[in-house]
Amino acid sequence: MFEFFRKYLEDKISIAEADYQLIESVCIFKKLRKHQFLLNEGDVCTHSGFVCKGFLRKYSVNDNGIEHTVYFATENWWISDRQSLMNCTPSSYNIDAIEDAVVLLISKSNIEMLSEKIPAFKDMVNLILQRSLNATQERINYALRSTAEERYSQFLKSFPSLVHRAPRHMVASYLGITPETLSRIRKQISSK
Amino acid sequence: MFEFFRKYLEDKISIAEADYQLIESVCIFKKLRKHQFLLNEGDVCTHSGFVCKGFLRKYSVNDNGIEHTVYFATENWWISDRQSLMNCTPSSYNIDAIEDAVVLLISKSNIEMLSEKIPAFKDMVNLILQRSLNATQERINYALRSTAEERYSQFLKSFPSLVHRAPRHMVASYLGITPETLSRIRKQISSK
DNA sequence: AAAAATTCTTGATAAATATCAAGAGAAGTG
DNA sequence: CACTTCTCTTGATATTTATCAAGAATTTTT
């Protein structure tokens, strides 16, 4: 499974063979069956996850028991609760598998170790951070200023492959609308 | 004016006197009168800004001429268009002064230079990045899953001092609601 | 393959928020 | 100080989206 991550790295940075071995030595692989959890609300997130295979989501549950999907992750995406990881505080999110998955885990301290020993790795981590921030800010813009239909269209455009893999009600909660509204929007769009 | 930034830095990192001089040598100070622009839509953002004094906002204008405030910045906050800065692409945002302001500017290349020469500076930049990402993700959660009233209450809690400094319609657009709705929400809250 | 559980759609109604319009207050300008 | 411009509030109405309820379609389990 390491080859997936290796390919990802080769694509982004250029490092020595010894460094790949160092990286591999701290990777932990975790298989998840559908519905199995990678992180439970209340637990402290201790590892960053890189998705080798499968499909996961991150979500919170409000007081009324309603789930709010905040993030999807598929092959070559990272997933974790950065806030919990950074501050060692209990997470307010759950992460579980939508499809059977294999996730590569690296502990917080090993991420720091690798960042120190491999400058290019550190730069990559920072680049990812910057990209995430840009994407997240883009998403805020859409969330605040667009109608439900526009948000769904944007989602389709940004993540065409996810739409078919994610159950509709999760997409709806990602967009901040109810499943019923999403169903009506889809009907409207298809009739155009 | 540099002393404002120096205090900020002293609070966050520990660096040598020579480093402060290096930093100061690349700082540019810009005074802005109310309504004056720091960045215009269409221009490439070339500098990161640190607010020494005053109050600014970042906003975009949609096809109908409606302004969407995406960010406020006051003393000790950073402001820039990260996306434009990172990719050297035209910005889709405007940044202007809500109150007379003094902004300390550091060019992209000098940020990179400082990051290289002063490791603690680089770490600080990354820490800020992480914090911004956390804050931005928090904001998405609120935007998608809360009512207008909850969003306003959260804004009050997070930025009590900004509420009095920012015109209401800018707060409204920051929250993704109309000024009229904000006005009604304020009335409701005060009658409780 | 049948049964059970989950997911999706549709309709009727309710609630939240936007839009349009008008006027009151406040602040900036000559 | 009077005038203009901006900002904020309030009311009436329209639109969007949520909620509740039921049934159809799909998937999972037995």
Side-chain angles (χ1 to χ4, degrees):
Chain A
M1 277 295 159
F2 184 69
E3 69 269 18
F4 289 106
F5 191 43
R6 188 181 168 124
K7 251 184 211 150
Y8 174 87
L9 290 172
E10 281 171 353
D11 208 49
K12 307 231 162 206
I13 57 179
S14 163
I15 56 179
E17 186 55 38
D19 289 334
Y20 281 115
Q21 284 173 20
L22 177 63
I23 294 172
E24 185 165 11
S25 75
V26 299
C27 287
I28 303 161
F29 292 92
K30 182 154 188 171
K31 280 190 191 177
L32 292 168
R33 301 297 306 271
K34 190 174 176 173
H35 296 139
Q36 222 181 325
F37 283 80
L38 184 64
L39 176 71
N40 285 286
E41 189 179 339
D43 292 351
V44 174
C45 180
T46 54
H47 293 67
S48 271
F50 174 86
V51 182
C52 297
K53 221 168 90 58
F55 190 29
L56 298 95
R57 71 169 169 149
K58 178 175 165 187
Y59 66 99
S60 63
V61 182
N62 74 6
D63 300 339
N64 304 323
I66 297 188
E67 293 178 359
H68 291 283
T69 302
V70 296
Y71 186 70
F72 291 112
T74 180
E75 288 82 6
N76 290 339
W77 293 40
W78 291 89
I79 191 161
S80 74
D81 179 0
R82 217 181 274 277
Q83 192 137 26
S84 170
L85 192 68
M86 186 175 165
N87 307 315
C88 298
T89 49
S91 177
S92 42
Y93 297 99
N94 301 282
I95 297 175
D96 71 1
I98 298 177
E99 300 170 3
D100 292 357
V102 179
V103 181
L104 181 160
L105 296 171
I106 308 179
S107 72
K108 182 187 177 180
S109 56
N110 278 325
I111 293 261
E112 282 161 7
M113 183 274 288
L114 292 175
S115 295
E116 229 173 276
K117 297 212 173 156
I118 311 170
F121 189 88
K122 186 176 193 170
D123 291 340
M124 182 192 72
V125 169
N126 287 328
L127 192 66
I128 292 169
L129 206 61
Q130 294 224 25
R131 294 236 174 98
S132 307
L133 184 54
N134 288 344
T136 310
Q137 278 174 343
E138 252 331 276
R139 200 175 153 204
I140 284 197
N141 294 352
Y142 268 95
L144 289 176
R145 72 180 54 163
S146 304
T147 62
E149 181 176 338
E150 286 165 339
R151 271 178 275 151
Y152 178 64
S153 299
Q154 182 60 26
F155 181 78
L156 277 181
K157 220 161 93 185
S158 302
F159 312 109
S161 64
L162 296 194
V163 179
H164 305 291
R165 288 171 85 175
R168 303 262 157 82
H169 68 272
M170 292 182 194
V171 173
S173 97
Y174 181 90
L175 297 173
I177 57 180
T178 58
E180 292 95 330
T181 298
L182 179 56
S183 184
R184 291 183 179 109
I185 286 170
R186 288 169 49 81
K187 199 178 166 189
Q188 262 181 37
I189 289 180
S190 74
S191 75
K192 278 179 187 169
Chain B
M1 277 296 158
F2 184 68
E3 70 267 18
F4 288 106
F5 191 43
R6 185 176 171 128
K7 251 185 212 149
Y8 174 87
L9 290 172
E10 281 170 352
D11 207 50
K12 305 231 164 206
I13 58 179
S14 163
I15 56 179
E17 186 55 38
D19 288 334
Y20 281 115
Q21 284 173 19
L22 177 62
I23 294 172
E24 185 166 10
S25 74
V26 300
C27 287
I28 302 161
F29 292 93
K30 183 153 187 172
K31 280 191 191 178
L32 292 168
R33 300 298 307 271
K34 190 173 176 174
H35 295 139
Q36 223 182 323
F37 283 79
L38 184 65
L39 177 71
N40 284 286
E41 189 179 339
D43 293 350
V44 174
C45 180
T46 55
H47 294 67
S48 272
F50 174 85
V51 182
C52 297
K53 222 168 90 57
F55 190 29
L56 298 94
R57 70 168 170 151
K58 178 176 165 186
Y59 66 98
S60 62
V61 181
N62 75 4
D63 300 340
N64 303 322
I66 296 188
E67 294 179 358
H68 290 282
T69 302
V70 295
Y71 187 69
F72 291 113
T74 180
E75 288 83 6
N76 290 339
W77 293 41
W78 290 89
I79 190 161
S80 75
D81 179 0
R82 217 181 275 277
Q83 193 137 24
S84 170
L85 192 70
M86 186 174 165
N87 308 315
C88 298
T89 49
S91 177
S92 42
Y93 297 100
N94 301 282
I95 297 175
D96 71 1
I98 299 177
E99 300 169 3
D100 292 358
V102 179
V103 181
L104 181 160
L105 297 172
I106 308 179
S107 73
K108 183 186 177 181
S109 55
N110 278 324
I111 294 261
E112 282 161 6
M113 183 275 286
L114 292 175
S115 295
E116 229 172 276
K117 296 212 173 156
I118 311 170
F121 188 88
K122 187 175 193 170
D123 291 340
M124 182 191 73
V125 169
N126 287 329
L127 192 67
I128 292 169
L129 205 62
Q130 294 224 25
R131 294 236 174 97
S132 307
L133 184 54
N134 288 344
T136 309
Q137 277 174 343
E138 253 330 277
R139 199 175 153 204
I140 284 196
N141 294 352
Y142 268 96
L144 290 176
R145 73 181 53 163
S146 304
T147 62
E149 180 176 337
E150 287 165 339
R151 272 179 274 150
Y152 178 64
S153 300
Q154 182 60 26
F155 182 77
L156 277 180
K157 219 161 92 186
S158 301
F159 311 109
S161 64
L162 296 194
V163 180
H164 305 292
R165 288 172 84 177
R168 302 263 157 83
H169 68 271
M170 292 183 193
V171 174
S173 97
Y174 181 90
L175 297 172
I177 57 179
T178 58
E180 293 95 328
T181 297
L182 179 55
S183 184
R184 290 184 179 108
I185 285 170
R186 288 169 48 82
K187 198 178 166 189
Q188 262 181 37
I189 288 180
S190 73
S191 75
K192 278 181 186 165

